[in-house]
Amino acid sequence: MKRKAAETPADGDKEVESTESKHSQDEGERPTKELKSDSKKSSNAGLVRPLKVSNKELYKAPTPEELNQLKETESLFHCSLLKMQMEELLKEVVISDKKKRLVDSFVLKITELLHSVPETPVVELSDTTWLSKVEVPFILVPKSAKGKFHMEPPASVALIGSYPLGTCTKPRVSVDLMVTIPANVIHPMDVINQRYSRKRALYLAGLAEHLLSSKEVGTMQYSCLHGNRLRPVLLLTPPGKDGGSLTLRIHACPPPDFLKPGQLHPQKNKIRTDWFTGIDAPQPGGPDAPTPHYNSTVLGDHLPGAHLQFLSAVRDQCGAFKDTVALLKVWLRQRELDQGSGCFGGFLASMLVAYLLTSHKVSNHMSAYQLFRNALHFLASTDLTENGITLARNPDSTAPSLSDFHSAFQVVFVDPSGHLNLCADMTAHTYKQIQHEASLSVQFWDDPTMDGFQALLMTPKPLIRTYDHVFQLCGLSKLQSACKKLNLFSELMDHSGNYIITALPLLLSLLQRGLGERIHLLVHSLPPSPEWPVTSEPTKHKDQPPLSFGLLLNPEHLASVLEKGPPADSSKAAEFRQLWGERAELRRFQDGSITEAVLWEASTACLKRLVPQQIINHLLQLHADIPPSCVRYVGGLLDNVIIVREESCGTGEEESLKVVQCYDDLSRKLWQLEDLPLSITSVQGAHPALRYTQVLPPVPFKLSYKQFDREKRSRALLPQDGNPCPVYITPIKVICHMEGSGKWPHDALAIRHIKAAFHIRLAEILKNTHNYPCHPSATHLDVWKDGLAFRIQVAYHREPQVLRELLSPDGMLLMRDNLQAQALEMDTQHRTLLTSTLHGLQQQHACFGAVCRLAKRWLGAQLFSADLCEDAADLLVAHLFLHPAPNTAPSSPQVGFLRFLHLLSSFDWRNSPLVVNLNSQLTVADYTDIKNGFAASRESLPTMFIATPTDRKQSIWTRDAPSVQMLQRMISVAAESLHVLEAQLTDATHTQDVRVAFRPPLDVYDVLIYLRPKQVPLVGSAVDPPSHEPSRGAQEGAIPGGVLPVIDFNPVSLYLTELREAFGDVALFFHDPYGGTVIAVLWKPNAFPPLRFKTGTMAARRVEVCEDKVSTVPNVEAILHDFSVLGEGLVERVVPRTEKWAV
């Protein structure tokens, strides 16, 4: 085995210089030859030359360390690429030497300034007049407090946290500096009634006033440590251009011997009720309630030095400790779990790794990857809400037991001292979220068919794109009354008046009970750590951003509109009635049982998905006095885009089901037909409506005969001149395969004649047997059944092969692929298989069809329908359900659509195939073959490559489109639409309609052709439909029999076909097929350079003579005129927006 020619220098963080001076410094280490001349030396400066080593060194046997690395790569990683990816990631997040020098310099300057803090006279604790420039970072409620305060220089200044530990990472470089408050400024009794917390805040304010005038400080702000208002910190940045890349957090902490930890036992009280309420009279209920959260806050300030010492000792024993913590921090950051109140930050990640190492659950010799996987597995399998863990090996006798911690806190993780719960502020729902994410990560990481690195460490998971439904609590001041109604006075006092943190656990518990089996998981956003200028008062609780909640829905129980409770005579009946209030009622069921029950109003699938909104509004109003106006539910705001019936709020699921049922009935009747020369071998659907993905599902119509003329021969209905365009009747394509027989001819034209005869015969039998109006033609048979139009196409399985056969001049039979054979094969084989497969996917995931319809509605609205066909769009959405990593499969149309936009805008289309493993037919070896084949033939493959089990090498659905330019345009528009939509859905201050993401930017096009709305049959389904739509001669409903209407008549699509045939060589045409009233035109740049005059190339061109040279250029004025002429009666006006043709 060959070894590296040169080993990496010991100081791997330093940049390798490639100058000759660097080579001369390393003479003793690297066997390089000196250059013979100075001139050559100067001319080759900056070049890195290969290093020459002896054969003995080159072919030296691998060392044990190298063998271990190879074994680890083989056994732990799916491929060597994953190992390299993780190594590169660690290099990216580790702080460089240059940044470390900046940090050290800035810390040194600030330390010197802090030691020069002047002393101040002793004043009353409530007296802040000695602060002239800054405000105190503390909400003084209650206002009064006993005690004295004065400023002195700190007893010591020391680095704590991740920077001295070596686990500080980019991009947010935060360095923690502990300033020890002098012992004569604070007293051990100050822990009572917030006196310590107020002195701590005053001391920080004194430091801020001293630093405010220094030129060594750039910006200065207050914040709170993990959102805890009792633990304010001072944020400093260096001056100049480095200010945005580094933040120094100053923590004011008590001396190490300030108090004994046993004094802050979770069962003890440190805030007196009479002081907090201002009422001297004794309160009912006996002695003051314990204040465990307040106690842990004070104790947390007392132990950062001891924690750093403990972690440093663990780090020194495990070489991969720092890298493991870095990976965990990246993983937490992508899931938005590392910031805010009750977060699982980098400190907790370090403590978790330390726990695994000190408890010998993992080995000190494990790699960072192994430790990271074990940490995720531990989080996924260990429930700290039930079984807490402790780092304390020999706690003293005053340390609380784990049961004491569990009685006071929802999540328990005890520090090495045995006195502090590191997860004191974390809610049980936050930990359940961490458990869920860890479980998913372990599951996906073990899947060899997916890129676990990209999904788990590089893909952000914002709340709005991770959970099926999201709602926000606005008007947070309402939580004050909620605390009162929920009787949370003791908890409110424990949280020092923070009514948001106080009410949150109870609200979560209430909603969890009410939502029950409808959800898999209920999570909440972490209240952020506010930041405000040192010259301003701290922000009030009510001014923080709304609280956001996420619901991971359970599709199995989501559609239920009934909450069935206990029997009327059960002991739990009273509890059920107490939960639901007046909505609970006794009901008798078909099995004879009489139970308590709650019935919700929902008639369509769309409304049933929103039953959780009714539950949440009802429970919050009933139990917490939070009105529905304060709840902003954004689970179904996008449903209006694909709504079919305004009156029933249906989004098309019911209509699609009726189409499928009607098709099933027709299919059965086709199977039962007799008197056919050949029997039918299969009847297959080949239309998006039969897989629930048609943007506008066909709706049964009853026609108004008065608004139509009759065709003389067939008596079919024809549109009348002068009337609006009649209703568009969608033909639902059905492929009817006939059995193979020697009777079939071996000539393409003869086969077409036979198929036409079958169409005629099928029409006769269906008319005579079932009285269905039919219209046969050479290519298909139209059947009018129950107000729906079915287009039956007879197929012969050998016809594509016949079309490919070609006789050479010498009589040899050759096989040549051609567009006609490909199109026929696509219609009769590929599309039918795709339809049946995706129909099965819809049965597994009820919202699959709705997500497809939203995605295709966006593609149409943004004028991309011609560049990404419906089948390809359906496959993109199918990928979200079959390969949802790092999420679970969508259970609502909204989150599915957001993930579709993210997939389209972020996938590496240039270097990777998108594999859609339909029916789980592809194995690991198949994945490898697809990727290898893609890499080998990339230049000849489509720009967007989608592989399926039946199409592994060609990507037939994207073979012709999109082009490179259109795909790039699609990616940029999808990214911007995703950004706009997420801002609309998460920011309550946005008043714009979500339809803004469906309105195309028209300023990039050269010409706009405006159409008359009354001649656009689908204008009622446009993104912005007209307020009044004219009558189109039909109303919803179905009657048997009747007269055959004009099917598939859309003047806009016919006009577009003519435009592309006539002017496709000079322009591109874009249109929204779902009711768009604008056709956008983009000139092709290569069509405008002058060409030599030829009589055969004068179409849409004019002659120009310049210096005796005759050439032709596009006649744009005439082309624009032809646009109007071709669209007479349909075109309202043609508006040229640019004059590129004049350049």
Side-chain angles (χ1 to χ4, degrees):
M1 173 185 169
K2 292 186 179 181
R3 299 189 63 193
K4 291 183 181 178
E7 298 294 330
T8 304
D11 188 2
D13 290 335
K14 295 184 178 180
E15 298 180 359
V16 179
E17 300 177 14
S18 56
T19 61
E20 194 57 31
S21 60
K22 179 65 178 178
H23 284 289
S24 64
Q25 292 173 11
D26 295 340
E27 281 179 337
E29 300 177 16
R30 303 182 179 183
T32 58
K33 292 186 177 181
E34 295 185 4
L35 297 177
K36 294 184 178 180
S37 65
D38 293 338
S39 60
K40 189 175 180 180
K41 181 176 179 178
S42 60
S43 64
N44 289 287
L47 295 179
V48 178
R49 285 166 296 281
L51 305 177
K52 295 183 179 181
V53 295
S54 64
N55 286 339
K56 181 179 179 181
E57 183 73 15
L58 186 63
Y59 294 101
K60 185 179 178 181
T63 64
E65 182 182 354
E66 289 172 333
L67 286 173
N68 284 336
Q69 289 179 353
L70 289 171
K71 185 65 177 176
E72 177 187 308
T73 302
E74 180 183 1
S75 60
L76 298 180
F77 297 90
H78 299 153
C79 62
S80 58
L81 177 62
L82 176 58
K83 178 178 175 64
M84 291 187 290
Q85 286 174 323
M86 298 190 70
E87 290 173 350
E88 287 301 314
L89 173 64
L90 290 171
K91 291 178 184 177
E92 286 294 321
V93 299
V94 169
I95 301 176
S96 65
D97 284 353
K98 180 180 177 182
K99 181 70 69 176
K100 290 179 181 178
R101 289 193 293 270
L102 171 65
V103 171
D104 295 340
S105 172
F106 187 51
V107 168
L108 183 61
K109 294 175 183 177
I110 297 302
T111 302
E112 293 176 355
L113 289 171
L114 292 175
H115 281 300
S116 63
V117 171
E119 294 189 18
T120 62
V122 177
V123 296
E124 291 293 329
L125 188 56
S126 56
D127 181 10
T128 59
T129 56
W130 59 278
L131 293 170
S132 59
K133 301 176 183 178
V134 300
E135 296 289 340
V136 181
F138 198 87
I139 299 177
L140 300 175
V141 177
K143 185 76 174 175
S144 63
K146 297 179 180 179
K148 306 287 185 179
F149 179 81
H150 69 282
M151 281 296 298
E152 281 187 15
S156 65
V157 179
L159 284 168
I160 57 171
S162 60
Y163 183 72
L165 189 63
T167 59
C168 189
T169 58
K170 297 184 291 187
R172 293 194 296 257
V173 179
S174 294
V175 178
D176 296 284
L177 195 63
M178 179 179 68
V179 175
T180 304
I181 305 173
N184 56 351
V185 174
I186 55 177
H187 188 275
M189 293 302 293
D190 286 342
V191 297
I192 297 174
N193 293 345
Q194 298 181 1
R195 289 199 293 267
Y196 160 75
S197 300
R198 296 184 182 214
K199 286 186 177 182
R200 182 185 187 280
L202 284 168
Y203 196 81
L204 268 183
L207 298 180
E209 177 139 324
H210 175 65
L211 297 173
L212 193 60
S213 58
S214 173
K215 295 181 180 180
E216 303 294 340
V217 179
T219 62
M220 184 159 44
Q221 287 185 307
Y222 289 131
S223 184
C224 300
L225 186 63
H226 302 317
N228 190 334
R229 296 302 187 99
L230 295 182
R231 303 182 74 178
V233 293
L234 187 60
L235 306 182
L236 308 180
T237 61
K241 61 180 181 180
D242 297 320
S245 60
L246 170 63
T247 301
L248 185 65
R249 296 193 299 186
I250 297 182
H251 305 253
C253 297
D257 56 350
F258 171 57
L259 49 79
K260 295 180 179 179
Q263 298 176 11
L264 296 169
H265 193 285
Q267 301 299 327
K268 292 188 176 182
N269 173 276
K270 295 299 177 183
I271 296 183
R272 307 296 187 244
T273 305
D274 54 354
W275 172 80
F276 189 76
T277 60
I279 302 174
D280 293 334
Q283 297 295 313
D288 292 322
T291 54
H293 289 89
Y294 173 78
N295 297 356
S296 68
T297 295
V298 177
L299 190 57
D301 282 342
H302 196 258
L303 298 171
H307 291 160
L308 176 61
Q309 185 178 0
F310 168 77
L311 290 173
S312 298
V314 175
R315 175 204 60 193
D316 294 340
Q317 295 177 4
C318 177
F321 177 85
K322 294 189 289 185
D323 288 347
T324 306
V325 174
L327 290 174
L328 276 172
K329 290 171 77 170
V330 172
W331 183 82
L332 290 164
R333 184 181 303 137
Q334 297 290 27
R335 285 148 184 79
E336 299 182 345
L337 292 168
D338 65 328
Q339 296 289 319
S341 178
C343 68
F344 199 103
F347 172 65
L348 271 178
S350 302
M351 284 295 190
L352 174 65
V353 177
Y355 171 78
L356 296 177
L357 290 166
T358 55
S359 60
H360 305 294
K361 295 182 182 296
V362 294
S363 168
N364 286 326
H365 302 292
M366 284 184 173
S367 66
Y369 173 72
Q370 290 173 296
L371 291 174
F372 177 58
R373 277 181 59 92
N374 277 278
L376 292 182
H377 186 270
F378 178 82
L379 287 172
S381 59
T382 308
D383 189 357
L384 299 186
T385 64
E386 298 290 339
N387 302 299
I389 57 176
T390 178
L391 282 162
R393 292 294 164 258
N394 297 299
D396 59 50
S397 59
T398 61
S401 64
L402 283 178
S403 59
D404 291 334
F405 281 114
H406 275 294
S407 65
F409 305 105
Q410 293 192 344
V411 185
V412 176
F413 182 8
V414 183
D415 80 325
S417 72
H419 291 271
L420 176 65
N421 179 17
L422 301 174
C423 296
D425 296 331
M426 186 181 294
T427 65
H429 287 78
T430 297
Y431 187 75
K432 294 293 184 184
Q433 179 185 1
I434 295 170
Q435 269 197 299
H436 168 76
E437 292 291 349
S439 177
L440 279 182
S441 297
V442 172
Q443 171 190 338
F444 290 138
W445 210 300
D446 289 336
D447 184 356
T449 64
M450 62 166 291
D451 184 357
F453 174 81
Q454 181 68 31
L456 304 181
L457 293 175
M458 303 301 291
T459 305
K461 294 188 64 176
L463 196 73
I464 192 67
R465 207 163 61 233
T466 303
Y467 295 94
D468 299 307
H469 284 184
V470 172
F471 68 94
Q472 294 175 322
L473 277 186
C474 308
L476 295 179
S477 58
K478 294 288 183 182
L479 293 180
Q480 295 186 69
S481 58
C483 289
K484 183 176 181 181
K485 186 158 187 175
L486 294 169
N487 194 24
L488 300 177
F489 175 76
S490 298
E491 292 81 357
L492 184 65
M493 187 170 65
D494 185 22
H495 288 96
S496 301
N498 190 335
Y499 47 83
I500 298 173
I501 303 299
T502 301
L504 183 58
L506 269 294
L507 294 182
L508 290 167
S509 176
L510 173 68
L511 296 179
Q512 184 72 56
R513 288 177 59 201
L515 293 168
E517 293 183 336
R518 294 181 185 274
I519 62 171
H520 286 305
L521 192 66
L522 168 65
V523 305
H524 62 93
S525 63
L526 304 177
S529 302
E531 295 182 6
W532 67 97
V534 294
T535 55
S536 303
E537 292 184 352
T539 56
K540 302 293 190 293
H541 299 305
K542 64 179 182 178
D543 296 329
Q544 75 177 44
L547 276 178
S548 296
F549 299 80
L551 305 179
L552 199 62
L553 302 177
N554 181 1
E556 295 181 8
H557 300 279
L558 184 60
S560 173
V561 296
L562 184 71
E563 300 287 339
K564 192 173 181 181
D569 55 354
S570 170
S571 58
K572 296 183 178 180
E575 182 182 347
F576 186 86
R577 288 191 296 270
Q578 186 273 335
L579 175 64
W580 296 108
E582 296 179 354
R583 292 300 298 257
E585 55 186 5
L586 284 176
R587 282 183 172 264
R588 184 184 183 91
F589 294 89
Q590 291 181 348
D591 60 359
S593 63
I594 301 176
T595 68
E596 297 284 349
V598 177
L599 183 66
W600 306 102
E601 298 82 12
S603 57
T604 65
C606 170
L607 294 177
K608 289 177 181 178
R609 283 195 298 266
L610 296 176
V611 165
Q613 180 179 6
Q614 298 184 50
I615 294 174
I616 290 167
N617 285 339
H618 174 71
L619 292 178
L620 292 181
Q621 174 77 67
L622 177 65
H623 294 282
D625 282 341
I626 299 175
S629 59
C630 291
V631 180
R632 184 174 181 265
Y633 202 91
V634 292
L637 291 184
L638 290 174
D639 289 346
N640 286 334
V641 178
I642 55 171
I643 204 160
V644 176
R645 288 192 176 94
E646 293 285 350
E647 62 275 9
S648 64
C649 295
T651 51
E653 287 86 349
E654 291 74 23
E655 287 73 18
S656 296
L657 180 60
K658 290 179 182 177
V659 172
V660 172
Q661 291 172 342
C662 189
Y663 159 76
D664 289 340
D665 182 56
L666 176 63
S667 177
R668 283 191 296 270
K669 290 175 178 176
L670 287 172
W671 277 100
Q672 295 168 2
L673 291 182
E674 299 178 354
D675 298 330
L676 286 171
L678 295 174
S679 61
I680 296 173
T681 59
S682 71
V683 179
Q684 297 177 309
H687 192 271
L690 300 178
R691 56 189 188 232
Y692 299 84
T693 66
Q694 177 73 6
V695 175
L696 304 175
V699 178
F701 284 115
K702 292 186 295 186
L703 302 175
S704 175
Y705 295 162
K706 295 180 181 180
Q707 298 189 30
F708 295 90
D709 291 329
R710 294 291 186 98
E711 199 269 333
K712 291 183 180 179
R713 185 171 60 86
S714 65
R715 306 300 294 166
L717 300 179
L718 298 177
Q720 294 179 348
D721 292 338
N723 282 354
C725 180
V727 66
Y728 179 71
I729 306 294
T730 303
I732 304 168
K733 183 177 285 190
V734 178
I735 305 300
C736 189
H737 285 269
M738 311 304 291
E739 68 173 327
S741 169
K743 298 178 182 179
W744 282 98
H746 201 74
D747 177 75
L749 180 60
I751 290 175
R752 288 198 292 271
H753 288 169
I754 296 295
K755 287 165 57 178
F758 269 116
H759 293 148
I760 296 172
R761 182 59 181 157
L762 282 172
E764 293 173 353
I765 298 176
L766 288 173
K767 176 65 177 176
N768 296 333
T769 307
H770 302 290
N771 196 29
Y772 292 157
C774 301
H775 177 69
S777 69
T779 57
H780 59 266
L781 164 67
D782 286 336
V783 179
W784 184 248
K785 180 183 185 300
D786 300 334
L788 297 171
F790 291 90
R791 179 159 288 176
I792 300 175
Q793 181 178 334
V794 170
Y796 172 45
H797 69 279
R798 293 194 71 253
E799 185 178 5
Q801 180 182 348
V802 173
L803 289 172
R804 290 187 173 97
E805 291 177 355
L806 179 68
L807 279 177
S808 65
D810 55 355
M812 294 289 292
L813 185 64
L814 305 177
M815 299 296 291
R816 291 286 187 270
D817 203 3
N818 55 74
L819 295 178
Q820 188 179 5
Q822 289 177 1
L824 181 63
E825 201 170 55
M826 186 80 78
D827 282 342
T828 60
Q829 297 179 22
H830 298 301
R831 190 165 282 120
T832 55
L833 179 60
L834 181 66
T835 298
S836 62
T837 304
L838 295 185
H839 180 276
L841 188 60
Q842 167 68 26
Q843 306 310 309
Q844 299 175 39
H845 303 280
C847 73
F848 167 72
V851 177
C852 288
R853 294 171 55 226
L854 267 175
K856 291 190 286 190
R857 186 67 193 92
W858 178 85
L859 288 168
Q862 295 292 350
L863 315 183
F864 294 134
S865 287
D867 297 286
L868 191 67
C869 69
E870 288 198 52
D871 308 287
D874 288 347
L875 283 173
L876 289 181
V877 175
H879 182 272
L880 300 174
F881 287 84
L882 298 172
H883 314 279
N887 304 294
T888 55
S891 293
S892 76
Q894 177 175 288
V895 74
F897 176 61
L898 293 177
R899 292 182 196 172
F900 166 80
L901 292 178
H902 181 260
L903 172 67
L904 185 59
S905 61
S906 63
F907 189 80
D908 185 5
W909 299 105
R910 178 69 184 88
N911 300 309
S912 303
L914 185 78
V915 183
V916 185
N917 192 4
L918 298 170
N919 292 331
S920 301
Q921 292 177 300
L922 296 175
T923 63
V924 177
D926 294 331
Y927 271 82
T928 304
D929 291 342
I930 290 173
K931 292 178 180 179
N932 291 342
F934 174 84
S937 309
R938 181 63 189 105
E939 298 306 321
S940 62
L941 294 175
T943 305
M944 175 185 282
F945 189 92
I946 302 176
T948 64
T950 57
D951 176 29
R952 305 183 186 187
K953 297 182 179 180
Q954 295 182 327
S955 187
I956 56 176
W957 305 110
T958 58
R959 183 163 43 200
D960 302 321
S963 63
V964 175
Q965 295 82 1
M966 289 310 303
L967 178 59
Q968 190 57 46
R969 171 75 177 161
M970 218 178 291
I971 290 171
S972 61
V973 176
E976 185 61 26
S977 297
L978 179 64
H979 174 73
V980 169
L981 266 181
E982 288 187 347
Q984 293 258 336
L985 296 174
T986 56
D987 190 349
T989 61
H990 276 73
T991 57
Q992 285 181 302
D993 184 12
V994 291
R995 292 173 184 256
V996 69
F998 291 80
R999 297 186 181 105
L1002 298 177
D1003 55 332
V1004 299
Y1005 299 100
D1006 300 319
V1007 180
L1008 299 180
I1009 305 175
Y1010 289 90
L1011 309 177
R1012 300 180 187 275
K1014 74 173 187 176
Q1015 300 301 342
V1016 179
L1018 300 176
V1019 70
S1021 302
V1023 174
D1024 297 301
S1027 56
H1028 175 70
E1029 187 179 2
S1031 172
R1032 300 191 181 274
Q1035 57 183 351
E1036 292 185 13
I1039 55 174
V1043 181
L1044 192 71
V1046 176
I1047 297 172
D1048 197 21
F1049 176 61
N1050 188 339
V1052 182
S1053 61
L1054 298 174
Y1055 177 54
L1056 271 170
T1057 301
E1058 291 188 6
L1059 287 176
R1060 286 169 178 151
E1061 289 176 353
F1063 307 108
D1065 56 338
V1066 297
L1068 297 171
F1069 299 90
F1070 305 88
H1071 177 250
D1072 178 4
Y1074 309 112
T1077 56
V1078 177
I1079 295 176
V1081 184
L1082 199 63
W1083 301 119
K1084 291 183 176 180
N1086 57 2
F1088 282 87
L1091 301 177
R1092 288 183 59 190
F1093 173 77
K1094 291 182 181 179
T1095 55
T1097 59
M1098 285 302 297
R1101 304 183 76 86
R1102 59 184 174 84
V1103 177
E1104 280 191 355
V1105 180
C1106 181
E1107 297 180 356
D1108 297 332
K1109 291 183 180 180
V1110 181
S1111 60
T1112 64
V1113 295
N1115 190 349
V1116 176
E1117 290 76 8
I1119 292 174
L1120 296 180
H1121 179 68
D1122 288 348
F1123 288 170
S1124 300
V1125 173
L1126 284 175
E1128 184 179 359
L1130 174 64
V1131 174
E1132 189 173 72
R1133 66 185 188 277
V1134 178
V1135 180
R1137 297 175 59 86
T1138 65
E1139 295 185 0
K1140 290 182 181 179
W1141 58 88
V1143 178

